[in-house]
Amino acid sequence: MGPVAGRSALQRQSTPQGSVMPQPYIFRTIDLDGQTIRTAVRPGKPHLTPLLIFNGIGANLELVFPFIQALDPDLEVIAFDVPGVGGSSTPSVPYRFPGLAKLTARMLDYLDYGQVSVIGVSWGGALAQQFAHDYPERCKKLVLAATAAGAVMVPGKPKVLLLMASPRRYIQPSHVIRIAPMIYGGAFRRDPNLAAEHASKVRSAGKMGYYWQLFAGLGWTSIHWLHKIRQPTLVLAGDDDPLIPLINMRLLAWRIPNAQLHIIDDGHLFLITRAEAVAPIIMKFLEEERQRAVMHPQPTQMRSS
């Protein structure tokens, strides 16, 4: 596929304070009909299908760098800021998941990618489901982490959901440090330094982009078409996730035909806090190839003489 018309600023650059990048990333800011999208690609080797990351609500791409670092360096990884987040421009009108999936396909065209594997985290897991459903030929394998099927999900505690309804934690670092144990659970309950480290990597684009992300998921659900997702799917769940109770991941694994469930001993952000443990699980899944069935011949019937 040829690239979509737009502009590209190619650069290798350092990340915000607190981010560590031992491998070079290629940053591009591309323009798709007036919508600028900031992307980062960690180059890899051609024998592995590239991995595209759909990040969580309000989360800029730098927040997944610790996870990317833990993956096999041969794996090419694509991360981006959705509209209204990080370095991507905020649209003047709201959007929905089908529109974002279409924008993602155009972004891949621009960056000259055909087929990719996809991982979606939390809010990004909903977008990953939409992309796998709408563009099955572009999605080889699907990884869903700490996510749900949308409006039919079993919700977390009301107090936790109320805190998530506000972008304040991405605007005031002191706020996320205070509430992180409550909303993220797991390692954030035990290590107060994790919240400060997380806050240091945040790059907010303002409140409106966050509200547009909330609107994208308002009333959305995949429950009626999950059975049509045919890609091999790995569902990852934290057993101490205040935002997405474990039963939601069990539902995904049950409804998606070729899905397997793996439970992690941690909270909502296990991709970051348990990156060294989770990355090998994901790599094994991505590297597995379906074995073609072998039809063994019937035993030769003994003939009586």
Side-chain angles (χ1 to χ4, degrees):
M1 292 184 177
V4 177
R7 60 179 172 80
S8 171
L10 175 60
Q11 53 187 311
R12 295 178 187 268
Q13 64 184 47
S14 60
T15 61
Q17 184 179 2
S19 296
V20 180
M21 279 199 320
Q23 287 183 268
Y25 283 62
I26 299 173
F27 289 80
R28 290 184 175 98
T29 298
I30 65 176
D31 188 320
L32 301 176
D33 295 334
Q35 173 65 61
T36 60
I37 301 292
R38 180 172 177 256
T39 69
V41 173
R42 187 193 71 174
K45 301 291 179 62
H47 68 280
L48 291 174
T49 302
L51 179 66
L52 171 66
I53 300 178
F54 291 114
N55 215 341
I57 188 167
N60 50 288
L61 57 83
E62 285 85 0
L63 292 174
V64 295
F65 283 165
F67 166 65
I68 296 175
Q69 289 168 213
L71 295 169
D72 188 328
D74 285 351
L75 179 66
E76 187 150 326
V77 183
I78 310 149
F80 72 104
D81 290 333
V82 299
V85 173
S88 295
S89 62
T90 302
S92 57
V93 295
Y95 49 75
R96 303 286 284 174
F97 282 130
L100 279 178
K102 183 177 181 180
L103 183 68
T104 300
R106 295 185 61 211
M107 178 190 74
L108 291 175
D109 289 343
Y110 186 97
L111 297 175
D112 201 23
Y113 290 101
Q115 190 179 63
V116 295
S117 291
V118 168
I119 180 169
V121 186
S122 192
W123 180 93
L127 179 52
Q129 292 169 60
Q130 189 76 58
F131 182 81
H133 174 263
D134 292 355
Y135 298 92
E137 73 286 354
R138 306 294 296 266
C139 180
K140 181 179 181 182
K141 291 191 174 185
L142 178 63
V143 181
L144 300 174
T147 192
V152 299
M153 69 175 285
V154 177
K157 295 180 179 180
K159 186 175 181 180
V160 173
L161 298 179
L162 185 62
L163 290 170
M164 287 296 294
S166 168
R168 185 180 172 190
R169 73 186 189 281
Y170 285 113
I171 298 171
Q172 299 178 3
S174 60
H175 183 63
V176 71
I177 292 172
R178 182 171 62 85
I179 69 171
M182 187 185 308
I183 64 174
Y184 298 137
F188 282 85
R189 300 190 197 275
R190 303 183 292 271
D191 186 354
N193 294 323
L194 283 176
E197 183 180 350
H198 182 76
S200 71
K201 300 172 186 175
V202 168
R203 178 180 175 181
S204 175
K207 295 180 180 180
M208 189 55 68
Y210 191 91
Y211 293 138
W212 279 173
Q213 284 189 279
L214 287 175
F215 182 83
L218 187 63
W220 176 91
T221 183
S222 59
I223 194 68
H224 55 294
W225 47 253
L226 280 176
H227 65 284
K228 296 181 180 179
I229 293 180
R230 298 299 175 181
Q231 294 91 339
T233 302
L234 174 63
V235 181
L236 298 171
D239 63 0
D240 180 24
D241 187 341
L243 286 171
I244 313 287
L246 178 57
I247 190 173
N248 292 286
M249 272 70 73
R250 293 191 186 279
L251 176 63
L252 289 175
W254 173 62
R255 288 288 292 163
I256 299 174
N258 299 312
Q260 55 181 285
L261 173 66
H262 196 105
I263 300 173
I264 311 298
D265 180 22
D266 208 337
H268 189 67
L269 296 184
F270 57 80
L271 279 190
I272 306 303
T273 55
R274 296 290 304 279
E276 296 297 334
V278 176
I281 298 170
I282 293 174
M283 287 306 309
K284 180 182 178 182
F285 169 73
L286 294 177
E287 291 172 343
E288 284 177 348
E289 293 293 339
R290 289 184 178 177
Q291 298 298 316
R292 184 174 296 176
V294 177
M295 301 299 293
H296 295 284
Q298 294 293 323
T300 303
Q301 298 295 323
M302 296 295 293
R303 296 180 179 178
S304 56
S305 55

